[in-house]
Amino acid sequence: MSILDIRVLGDPVLRRPTTAVIEVTDELRKLIADMFETMYAAEGIGLAAPQVGRNERVAVVDVEGSKFTLINPRIISTQGIRKEKAEEGCLSIPDIYGDVERQFTVTIRAIDENGNEYEATGSDLLGRCFQHEIDHLDGKLFIDYLSPLKRKAAMASWEKTKAKYPGHTRRVRTEVKGEHHRETEM
Ligand code: K1U
Ligand code: ZN
């Protein structure tokens, strides 16, 4: 398995719509395994294919041990009208956070890495993560939901941060130091 480079804000791949997966191949399973490894190395709870420069309609999620592979996911229902505002971050916009209002509970239909269709219902952080990852597959980012004022402030902050990511690339590596595993960015 490999840790992949993460594309950051400004890379056009994050704004491109993805292409539906026709067949779950070994090559796709390798991409999924690499995406899980990259997500864990970056200490995220989700990761979508465009974030690693790919255009397949695929994402991975692990919220408190509830692990999902999302191939061609779509939201099939939102239970009730309850919405909730909470702070979000994005592995492709490091160090920038903002409050986003989303459905509290969503049910998705997707295909897993074995090619089997399944449905899953997620509330709270899991529901939020499903929505955040499906947005990535449609070229949408959490900053798109911020008010003009908050978005302007977020972009001003990003202007200072983005120099850390030449070529719109965030390199996450797990480094072994003595007995400790440490995350480093290069
Ligand atoms: O897709 C991504 O950029 C991953 C992103 C997913 C996400 C974060 C917050 C709300 C919804 C979806 C992250 O994992 S950023 C890391 C993060 O914010 C976080 C990490 C652990 C627990 C909670 C949030
Ligand atoms: Zn994100």
mmCIF file of all heavy atoms in Angstrom, residues 3-19 27-28 31 34-35 38 47-59 91-92 133 136-137 141 167-170:
data_model
loop_
_atom_site.group_PDB
_atom_site.id
_atom_site.type_symbol
_atom_site.label_atom_id
_atom_site.label_comp_id
_atom_site.label_asym_id
_atom_site.label_seq_id
_atom_site.Cartn_x
_atom_site.Cartn_y
_atom_site.Cartn_z
ATOM 1 N N ILE A 3 1.064 5.680 0.518
ATOM 2 C CA ILE A 3 0.448 6.958 0.902
ATOM 3 C C ILE A 3 0.546 7.881 -0.310
ATOM 4 O O ILE A 3 1.630 8.066 -0.873
ATOM 5 C CB ILE A 3 1.153 7.561 2.129
ATOM 6 C CG1 ILE A 3 0.988 6.618 3.334
ATOM 7 C CG2 ILE A 3 0.589 8.940 2.443
ATOM 8 C CD1 ILE A 3 1.767 7.033 4.564
ATOM 9 N N LEU A 4 -0.595 8.414 -0.723
ATOM 10 C CA LEU A 4 -0.654 9.244 -1.928
ATOM 11 C C LEU A 4 -0.532 10.714 -1.556
ATOM 12 O O LEU A 4 -0.870 11.124 -0.438
ATOM 13 C CB LEU A 4 -1.996 8.993 -2.647
ATOM 14 C CG LEU A 4 -2.312 7.521 -2.935
ATOM 15 C CD1 LEU A 4 -3.744 7.376 -3.456
ATOM 16 C CD2 LEU A 4 -1.327 6.950 -3.948
ATOM 17 N N ASP A 5 -0.067 11.508 -2.506
ATOM 18 C CA ASP A 5 -0.060 12.962 -2.303
ATOM 19 C C ASP A 5 -1.497 13.473 -2.339
ATOM 20 O O ASP A 5 -2.315 12.989 -3.122
ATOM 21 C CB ASP A 5 0.743 13.647 -3.413
ATOM 22 C CG ASP A 5 2.241 13.420 -3.254
ATOM 23 O OD1 ASP A 5 2.664 12.955 -2.171
ATOM 24 O OD2 ASP A 5 2.968 13.686 -4.221
ATOM 25 N N ILE A 6 -1.768 14.464 -1.482
ATOM 26 C CA ILE A 6 -3.118 15.061 -1.436
ATOM 27 C C ILE A 6 -3.086 16.382 -2.194
ATOM 28 O O ILE A 6 -2.187 17.203 -1.986
ATOM 29 C CB ILE A 6 -3.563 15.266 0.033
ATOM 30 C CG1 ILE A 6 -3.688 13.899 0.729
ATOM 31 C CG2 ILE A 6 -4.879 16.032 0.102
ATOM 32 C CD1 ILE A 6 -4.043 13.965 2.204
ATOM 33 N N ARG A 7 -4.038 16.568 -3.080
ATOM 34 C CA ARG A 7 -4.148 17.813 -3.847
ATOM 35 C C ARG A 7 -4.857 18.856 -2.998
ATOM 36 O O ARG A 7 -5.840 18.540 -2.312
ATOM 37 C CB ARG A 7 -4.921 17.581 -5.146
ATOM 38 C CG ARG A 7 -4.374 16.447 -5.990
ATOM 39 C CD ARG A 7 -2.914 16.711 -6.397
ATOM 40 N NE ARG A 7 -2.355 15.577 -7.111
ATOM 41 C CZ ARG A 7 -2.372 15.463 -8.435
ATOM 42 N NH1 ARG A 7 -2.926 16.386 -9.186
ATOM 43 N NH2 ARG A 7 -1.833 14.407 -9.013
ATOM 44 N N VAL A 8 -4.362 20.075 -3.060
ATOM 45 C CA VAL A 8 -4.954 21.140 -2.244
ATOM 46 C C VAL A 8 -5.635 22.195 -3.102
ATOM 47 O O VAL A 8 -5.475 22.229 -4.332
ATOM 48 C CB VAL A 8 -3.917 21.790 -1.275
ATOM 49 C CG1 VAL A 8 -3.299 20.753 -0.346
ATOM 50 C CG2 VAL A 8 -2.861 22.559 -2.037
ATOM 51 N N LEU A 9 -6.382 23.041 -2.413
ATOM 52 C CA LEU A 9 -7.181 24.096 -3.053
ATOM 53 C C LEU A 9 -6.357 24.842 -4.111
ATOM 54 O O LEU A 9 -5.232 25.266 -3.834
ATOM 55 C CB LEU A 9 -7.662 25.082 -1.984
ATOM 56 C CG LEU A 9 -8.655 26.158 -2.424
ATOM 57 C CD1 LEU A 9 -9.946 25.552 -2.945
ATOM 58 C CD2 LEU A 9 -8.954 27.112 -1.264
ATOM 59 N N GLY A 10 -6.934 24.978 -5.285
ATOM 60 C CA GLY A 10 -6.223 25.608 -6.401
ATOM 61 C C GLY A 10 -5.929 24.603 -7.496
ATOM 62 O O GLY A 10 -5.787 24.962 -8.658
ATOM 63 N N ASP A 11 -5.859 23.308 -7.107
ATOM 64 C CA ASP A 11 -5.675 22.271 -8.122
ATOM 65 C C ASP A 11 -7.023 22.052 -8.812
ATOM 66 O O ASP A 11 -8.016 21.741 -8.146
ATOM 67 C CB ASP A 11 -5.192 20.978 -7.455
ATOM 68 C CG ASP A 11 -4.753 19.943 -8.487
ATOM 69 O OD1 ASP A 11 -5.409 19.840 -9.541
ATOM 70 O OD2 ASP A 11 -3.760 19.246 -8.232
ATOM 71 N N PRO A 12 -7.082 22.201 -10.139
ATOM 72 C CA PRO A 12 -8.363 22.079 -10.848
ATOM 73 C C PRO A 12 -9.052 20.723 -10.663
ATOM 74 O O PRO A 12 -10.269 20.631 -10.797
ATOM 75 C CB PRO A 12 -7.998 22.295 -12.324
ATOM 76 C CG PRO A 12 -6.598 22.773 -12.359
ATOM 77 C CD PRO A 12 -5.964 22.537 -11.017
ATOM 78 N N VAL A 13 -8.272 19.683 -10.317
ATOM 79 C CA VAL A 13 -8.882 18.356 -10.154
ATOM 80 C C VAL A 13 -9.971 18.353 -9.077
ATOM 81 O O VAL A 13 -10.926 17.575 -9.141
ATOM 82 C CB VAL A 13 -7.795 17.278 -9.864
ATOM 83 C CG1 VAL A 13 -7.244 17.393 -8.457
ATOM 84 C CG2 VAL A 13 -8.321 15.875 -10.125
ATOM 85 N N LEU A 14 -9.842 19.272 -8.099
ATOM 86 C CA LEU A 14 -10.831 19.310 -7.012
ATOM 87 C C LEU A 14 -12.178 19.870 -7.472
ATOM 88 O O LEU A 14 -13.180 19.738 -6.762
ATOM 89 C CB LEU A 14 -10.303 20.152 -5.847
ATOM 90 C CG LEU A 14 -9.086 19.586 -5.111
ATOM 91 C CD1 LEU A 14 -8.579 20.589 -4.091
ATOM 92 C CD2 LEU A 14 -9.433 18.266 -4.437
ATOM 93 N N ARG A 15 -12.189 20.519 -8.625
ATOM 94 C CA ARG A 15 -13.429 21.143 -9.123
ATOM 95 C C ARG A 15 -14.046 20.370 -10.284
ATOM 96 O O ARG A 15 -15.103 20.740 -10.781
ATOM 97 C CB ARG A 15 -13.143 22.589 -9.554
ATOM 98 C CG ARG A 15 -12.776 23.510 -8.388
ATOM 99 C CD ARG A 15 -13.869 23.531 -7.360
ATOM 100 N NE ARG A 15 -13.703 24.592 -6.374
ATOM 101 C CZ ARG A 15 -14.600 24.836 -5.428
ATOM 102 N NH1 ARG A 15 -15.682 24.093 -5.297
ATOM 103 N NH2 ARG A 15 -14.412 25.812 -4.557
ATOM 104 N N ARG A 16 -13.340 19.298 -10.723
ATOM 105 C CA ARG A 16 -13.848 18.528 -11.869
ATOM 106 C C ARG A 16 -14.862 17.502 -11.413
ATOM 107 O O ARG A 16 -14.636 16.827 -10.407
ATOM 108 C CB ARG A 16 -12.688 17.771 -12.534
ATOM 109 C CG ARG A 16 -12.097 18.534 -13.689
ATOM 110 C CD ARG A 16 -10.944 17.745 -14.320
ATOM 111 N NE ARG A 16 -9.871 18.660 -14.597
ATOM 112 C CZ ARG A 16 -8.579 18.446 -14.389
ATOM 113 N NH1 ARG A 16 -8.175 17.298 -13.893
ATOM 114 N NH2 ARG A 16 -7.694 19.372 -14.663
ATOM 115 N N PRO A 17 -15.964 17.345 -12.144
ATOM 116 C CA PRO A 17 -16.889 16.270 -11.769
ATOM 117 C C PRO A 17 -16.247 14.906 -12.019
ATOM 118 O O PRO A 17 -15.406 14.772 -12.909
ATOM 119 C CB PRO A 17 -18.099 16.489 -12.691
ATOM 120 C CG PRO A 17 -17.632 17.393 -13.775
ATOM 121 C CD PRO A 17 -16.390 18.095 -13.318
ATOM 122 N N THR A 18 -16.610 13.932 -11.218
ATOM 123 C CA THR A 18 -16.013 12.594 -11.345
ATOM 124 C C THR A 18 -16.812 11.733 -12.319
ATOM 125 O O THR A 18 -17.923 12.078 -12.717
ATOM 126 C CB THR A 18 -15.968 11.916 -9.964
ATOM 127 O OG1 THR A 18 -17.249 12.076 -9.352
ATOM 128 C CG2 THR A 18 -14.902 12.537 -9.092
ATOM 129 N N THR A 19 -16.234 10.591 -12.663
ATOM 130 C CA THR A 19 -16.853 9.664 -13.618
ATOM 131 C C THR A 19 -17.286 8.401 -12.874
ATOM 132 O O THR A 19 -16.493 7.840 -12.095
ATOM 133 C CB THR A 19 -15.806 9.295 -14.707
ATOM 134 O OG1 THR A 19 -15.341 10.512 -15.287
ATOM 135 C CG2 THR A 19 -16.395 8.416 -15.782
ATOM 136 N N GLU A 27 -7.277 -2.957 -9.848
ATOM 137 C CA GLU A 27 -6.614 -1.637 -9.869
ATOM 138 C C GLU A 27 -7.399 -0.650 -8.998
ATOM 139 O O GLU A 27 -6.829 0.135 -8.248
ATOM 140 C CB GLU A 27 -6.501 -1.158 -11.330
ATOM 141 C CG GLU A 27 -5.508 -0.029 -11.554
ATOM 142 C CD GLU A 27 -6.130 1.363 -11.500
ATOM 143 O OE1 GLU A 27 -7.320 1.510 -11.818
ATOM 144 O OE2 GLU A 27 -5.422 2.305 -11.115
ATOM 145 N N LEU A 28 -8.737 -0.727 -9.089
ATOM 146 C CA LEU A 28 -9.572 0.168 -8.265
ATOM 147 C C LEU A 28 -9.434 -0.195 -6.781
ATOM 148 O O LEU A 28 -9.348 0.686 -5.920
ATOM 149 C CB LEU A 28 -11.039 0.095 -8.701
ATOM 150 C CG LEU A 28 -11.915 1.164 -8.050
ATOM 151 C CD1 LEU A 28 -11.676 2.529 -8.671
ATOM 152 C CD2 LEU A 28 -13.394 0.825 -8.158
ATOM 153 N N LEU A 31 -6.379 1.344 -5.471
ATOM 154 C CA LEU A 31 -6.589 2.775 -5.215
ATOM 155 C C LEU A 31 -7.314 2.969 -3.881
ATOM 156 O O LEU A 31 -6.940 3.825 -3.066
ATOM 157 C CB LEU A 31 -7.400 3.410 -6.362
ATOM 158 C CG LEU A 31 -7.873 4.848 -6.112
ATOM 159 C CD1 LEU A 31 -6.694 5.824 -6.014
ATOM 160 C CD2 LEU A 31 -8.840 5.307 -7.221
ATOM 161 N N ASP A 34 -5.024 2.357 -0.968
ATOM 162 C CA ASP A 34 -4.098 3.492 -0.836
ATOM 163 C C ASP A 34 -4.814 4.721 -0.258
ATOM 164 O O ASP A 34 -4.234 5.486 0.515
ATOM 165 C CB ASP A 34 -3.495 3.850 -2.204
ATOM 166 C CG ASP A 34 -2.504 2.795 -2.695
ATOM 167 O OD1 ASP A 34 -2.097 1.933 -1.892
ATOM 168 O OD2 ASP A 34 -2.145 2.846 -3.889
ATOM 169 N N MET A 35 -6.079 4.901 -0.640
ATOM 170 C CA MET A 35 -6.839 6.046 -0.110
ATOM 171 C C MET A 35 -7.072 5.890 1.391
ATOM 172 O O MET A 35 -6.969 6.858 2.146
ATOM 173 C CB MET A 35 -8.162 6.208 -0.868
ATOM 174 C CG MET A 35 -7.973 6.795 -2.272
ATOM 175 S SD MET A 35 -9.481 6.815 -3.251
ATOM 176 C CE MET A 35 -10.530 7.900 -2.284
ATOM 177 N N THR A 38 -3.798 6.695 3.073
ATOM 178 C CA THR A 38 -3.530 8.140 3.005
ATOM 179 C C THR A 38 -4.398 8.891 4.010
ATOM 180 O O THR A 38 -3.932 9.787 4.725
ATOM 181 C CB THR A 38 -3.800 8.647 1.571
ATOM 182 O OG1 THR A 38 -3.018 7.874 0.645
ATOM 183 C CG2 THR A 38 -3.467 10.126 1.426
ATOM 184 N N LEU A 47 -11.946 10.641 2.651
ATOM 185 C CA LEU A 47 -11.075 11.076 1.544
ATOM 186 C C LEU A 47 -11.767 10.682 0.243
ATOM 187 O O LEU A 47 -12.266 9.556 0.115
ATOM 188 C CB LEU A 47 -9.704 10.384 1.647
ATOM 189 C CG LEU A 47 -8.623 10.874 0.679
ATOM 190 C CD1 LEU A 47 -8.152 12.290 1.040
ATOM 191 C CD2 LEU A 47 -7.409 9.917 0.671
ATOM 192 N N ALA A 48 -11.770 11.607 -0.717
ATOM 193 C CA ALA A 48 -12.418 11.345 -2.006
ATOM 194 C C ALA A 48 -11.360 11.316 -3.108
ATOM 195 O O ALA A 48 -10.309 11.969 -2.997
ATOM 196 C CB ALA A 48 -13.456 12.433 -2.290
ATOM 197 N N ALA A 49 -11.654 10.553 -4.174
ATOM 198 C CA ALA A 49 -10.654 10.339 -5.233
ATOM 199 C C ALA A 49 -10.048 11.642 -5.794
ATOM 200 O O ALA A 49 -8.832 11.695 -6.008
ATOM 201 C CB ALA A 49 -11.265 9.484 -6.341
ATOM 202 N N PRO A 50 -10.840 12.707 -6.033
ATOM 203 C CA PRO A 50 -10.211 13.922 -6.570
ATOM 204 C C PRO A 50 -9.121 14.480 -5.662
ATOM 205 O O PRO A 50 -8.182 15.131 -6.133
ATOM 206 C CB PRO A 50 -11.393 14.908 -6.684
ATOM 207 C CG PRO A 50 -12.601 14.039 -6.796
ATOM 208 C CD PRO A 50 -12.301 12.838 -5.939
ATOM 209 N N GLN A 51 -9.218 14.197 -4.370
ATOM 210 C CA GLN A 51 -8.201 14.706 -3.430
ATOM 211 C C GLN A 51 -6.838 14.038 -3.633
ATOM 212 O O GLN A 51 -5.840 14.533 -3.139
ATOM 213 C CB GLN A 51 -8.665 14.512 -1.981
ATOM 214 C CG GLN A 51 -9.908 15.338 -1.650
ATOM 215 C CD GLN A 51 -10.345 15.151 -0.214
ATOM 216 O OE1 GLN A 51 -11.042 14.195 0.101
ATOM 217 N NE2 GLN A 51 -9.917 16.040 0.661
ATOM 218 N N VAL A 52 -6.845 12.888 -4.333
ATOM 219 C CA VAL A 52 -5.559 12.255 -4.670
ATOM 220 C C VAL A 52 -5.356 12.277 -6.186
ATOM 221 O O VAL A 52 -4.639 11.438 -6.748
ATOM 222 C CB VAL A 52 -5.448 10.823 -4.075
ATOM 223 C CG1 VAL A 52 -5.379 10.891 -2.555
ATOM 224 C CG2 VAL A 52 -6.596 9.917 -4.521
ATOM 225 N N GLY A 53 -6.025 13.237 -6.832
ATOM 226 C CA GLY A 53 -5.782 13.475 -8.253
ATOM 227 C C GLY A 53 -6.477 12.535 -9.210
ATOM 228 O O GLY A 53 -6.113 12.461 -10.382
ATOM 229 N N ARG A 54 -7.496 11.821 -8.714
ATOM 230 C CA ARG A 54 -8.187 10.831 -9.563
ATOM 231 C C ARG A 54 -9.619 11.280 -9.838
ATOM 232 O O ARG A 54 -10.189 12.058 -9.082
ATOM 233 C CB ARG A 54 -8.203 9.470 -8.848
ATOM 234 C CG ARG A 54 -6.819 8.945 -8.538
ATOM 235 C CD ARG A 54 -6.166 8.360 -9.749
ATOM 236 N NE ARG A 54 -6.880 7.176 -10.200
ATOM 237 C CZ ARG A 54 -6.381 5.944 -10.198
ATOM 238 N NH1 ARG A 54 -5.158 5.732 -9.783
ATOM 239 N NH2 ARG A 54 -7.090 4.923 -10.628
ATOM 240 N N ASN A 55 -10.190 10.767 -10.930
ATOM 241 C CA ASN A 55 -11.541 11.248 -11.247
ATOM 242 C C ASN A 55 -12.619 10.162 -11.138
ATOM 243 O O ASN A 55 -13.742 10.357 -11.577
ATOM 244 C CB ASN A 55 -11.579 11.929 -12.621
ATOM 245 C CG ASN A 55 -11.601 10.918 -13.742
ATOM 246 O OD1 ASN A 55 -11.131 9.800 -13.558
ATOM 247 N ND2 ASN A 55 -12.154 11.294 -14.878
ATOM 248 N N GLU A 56 -12.252 9.015 -10.533
ATOM 249 C CA GLU A 56 -13.274 7.991 -10.303
ATOM 250 C C GLU A 56 -14.247 8.445 -9.203
ATOM 251 O O GLU A 56 -13.850 9.138 -8.264
ATOM 252 C CB GLU A 56 -12.630 6.665 -9.857
ATOM 253 C CG GLU A 56 -11.819 5.978 -10.931
ATOM 254 C CD GLU A 56 -10.348 6.377 -10.922
ATOM 255 O OE1 GLU A 56 -9.995 7.435 -10.339
ATOM 256 O OE2 GLU A 56 -9.548 5.635 -11.503
ATOM 257 N N ARG A 57 -15.489 8.003 -9.312
ATOM 258 C CA ARG A 57 -16.504 8.365 -8.298
ATOM 259 C C ARG A 57 -16.356 7.434 -7.088
ATOM 260 O O ARG A 57 -17.143 6.494 -6.889
ATOM 261 C CB ARG A 57 -17.892 8.272 -8.944
ATOM 262 C CG ARG A 57 -18.906 9.121 -8.256
ATOM 263 C CD ARG A 57 -20.145 9.422 -9.044
ATOM 264 N NE ARG A 57 -21.056 10.181 -8.210
ATOM 265 C CZ ARG A 57 -20.949 11.469 -7.957
ATOM 266 N NH1 ARG A 57 -19.993 12.187 -8.519
ATOM 267 N NH2 ARG A 57 -21.808 12.072 -7.159
ATOM 268 N N VAL A 58 -15.329 7.694 -6.298
ATOM 269 C CA VAL A 58 -14.955 6.814 -5.182
ATOM 270 C C VAL A 58 -14.518 7.662 -3.983
ATOM 271 O O VAL A 58 -13.811 8.659 -4.151
ATOM 272 C CB VAL A 58 -13.757 5.911 -5.594
ATOM 273 C CG1 VAL A 58 -13.237 5.124 -4.411
ATOM 274 C CG2 VAL A 58 -14.154 4.949 -6.702
ATOM 275 N N ALA A 59 -14.946 7.232 -2.794
ATOM 276 C CA ALA A 59 -14.478 7.880 -1.563
ATOM 277 C C ALA A 59 -14.366 6.821 -0.471
ATOM 278 O O ALA A 59 -14.945 5.729 -0.582
ATOM 279 C CB ALA A 59 -15.442 8.991 -1.138
ATOM 280 N N LEU A 91 -9.042 17.952 4.198
ATOM 281 C CA LEU A 91 -7.633 17.598 4.028
ATOM 282 C C LEU A 91 -7.019 18.341 2.850
ATOM 283 O O LEU A 91 -5.798 18.467 2.760
ATOM 284 C CB LEU A 91 -7.487 16.077 3.839
ATOM 285 C CG LEU A 91 -7.933 15.217 5.029
ATOM 286 C CD1 LEU A 91 -7.781 13.734 4.714
ATOM 287 C CD2 LEU A 91 -7.169 15.570 6.299
ATOM 288 N N SER A 92 -7.859 18.859 1.950
ATOM 289 C CA SER A 92 -7.361 19.615 0.790
ATOM 290 C C SER A 92 -7.297 21.120 1.045
ATOM 291 O O SER A 92 -6.887 21.877 0.152
ATOM 292 C CB SER A 92 -8.249 19.343 -0.429
ATOM 293 O OG SER A 92 -8.106 17.994 -0.828
ATOM 294 N N GLU A 133 -17.967 14.058 1.557
ATOM 295 C CA GLU A 133 -17.256 13.259 0.533
ATOM 296 C C GLU A 133 -18.030 13.238 -0.784
ATOM 297 O O GLU A 133 -17.425 13.329 -1.862
ATOM 298 C CB GLU A 133 -16.995 11.832 1.041
ATOM 299 C CG GLU A 133 -16.158 11.744 2.305
ATOM 300 C CD GLU A 133 -14.896 12.595 2.276
ATOM 301 O OE1 GLU A 133 -14.302 12.763 1.200
ATOM 302 O OE2 GLU A 133 -14.517 13.115 3.344
ATOM 303 N N HIS A 136 -17.325 16.300 -2.632
ATOM 304 C CA HIS A 136 -16.040 16.263 -3.346
ATOM 305 C C HIS A 136 -16.211 15.622 -4.722
ATOM 306 O O HIS A 136 -15.596 16.054 -5.699
ATOM 307 C CB HIS A 136 -15.010 15.437 -2.559
ATOM 308 C CG HIS A 136 -14.194 16.224 -1.576
ATOM 309 N ND1 HIS A 136 -13.410 17.296 -1.947
ATOM 310 C CD2 HIS A 136 -14.013 16.068 -0.239
ATOM 311 C CE1 HIS A 136 -12.782 17.768 -0.875
ATOM 312 N NE2 HIS A 136 -13.136 17.048 0.176
ATOM 313 N N LEU A 137 -17.037 14.572 -4.785
ATOM 314 C CA LEU A 137 -17.211 13.852 -6.058
ATOM 315 C C LEU A 137 -17.971 14.698 -7.082
ATOM 316 O O LEU A 137 -17.958 14.403 -8.278
ATOM 317 C CB LEU A 137 -17.911 12.506 -5.820
ATOM 318 C CG LEU A 137 -17.172 11.572 -4.847
ATOM 319 C CD1 LEU A 137 -17.952 10.283 -4.638
ATOM 320 C CD2 LEU A 137 -15.756 11.260 -5.342
ATOM 321 N N LEU A 141 -16.697 22.044 -2.463
ATOM 322 C CA LEU A 141 -15.877 22.092 -1.244
ATOM 323 C C LEU A 141 -16.649 22.800 -0.135
ATOM 324 O O LEU A 141 -17.534 23.625 -0.419
ATOM 325 C CB LEU A 141 -14.579 22.853 -1.536
ATOM 326 C CG LEU A 141 -13.708 22.248 -2.647
ATOM 327 C CD1 LEU A 141 -12.560 23.185 -3.004
ATOM 328 C CD2 LEU A 141 -13.172 20.879 -2.248
ATOM 329 N N GLY A 167 2.970 23.400 -6.036
ATOM 330 C CA GLY A 167 2.371 22.471 -7.007
ATOM 331 C C GLY A 167 1.038 21.937 -6.534
ATOM 332 O O GLY A 167 0.614 20.859 -6.969
ATOM 333 N N HIS A 168 0.382 22.684 -5.632
ATOM 334 C CA HIS A 168 -0.923 22.269 -5.076
ATOM 335 C C HIS A 168 -0.851 20.853 -4.477
ATOM 336 O O HIS A 168 -1.813 20.097 -4.554
ATOM 337 C CB HIS A 168 -2.028 22.292 -6.145
ATOM 338 C CG HIS A 168 -2.171 23.595 -6.856
ATOM 339 N ND1 HIS A 168 -2.419 24.775 -6.208
ATOM 340 C CD2 HIS A 168 -2.111 23.894 -8.172
ATOM 341 C CE1 HIS A 168 -2.493 25.753 -7.094
ATOM 342 N NE2 HIS A 168 -2.301 25.247 -8.288
ATOM 343 N N THR A 169 0.305 20.515 -3.910
ATOM 344 C CA THR A 169 0.500 19.143 -3.423
ATOM 345 C C THR A 169 0.844 19.124 -1.942
ATOM 346 O O THR A 169 1.752 19.840 -1.503
ATOM 347 C CB THR A 169 1.640 18.463 -4.220
ATOM 348 O OG1 THR A 169 1.258 18.447 -5.598
ATOM 349 C CG2 THR A 169 1.882 17.039 -3.757
ATOM 350 N N ARG A 170 0.133 18.298 -1.224
ATOM 351 C CA ARG A 170 0.399 18.098 0.207
ATOM 352 C C ARG A 170 0.935 16.683 0.365
ATOM 353 O O ARG A 170 0.245 15.714 0.047
ATOM 354 C CB ARG A 170 -0.915 18.263 0.982
ATOM 355 C CG ARG A 170 -0.784 17.979 2.452
ATOM 356 C CD ARG A 170 -2.129 18.107 3.154
ATOM 357 N NE ARG A 170 -1.999 17.768 4.540
ATOM 358 C CZ ARG A 170 -3.006 17.592 5.380
ATOM 359 N NH1 ARG A 170 -4.252 17.747 4.944
ATOM 360 N NH2 ARG A 170 -2.788 17.281 6.633
#
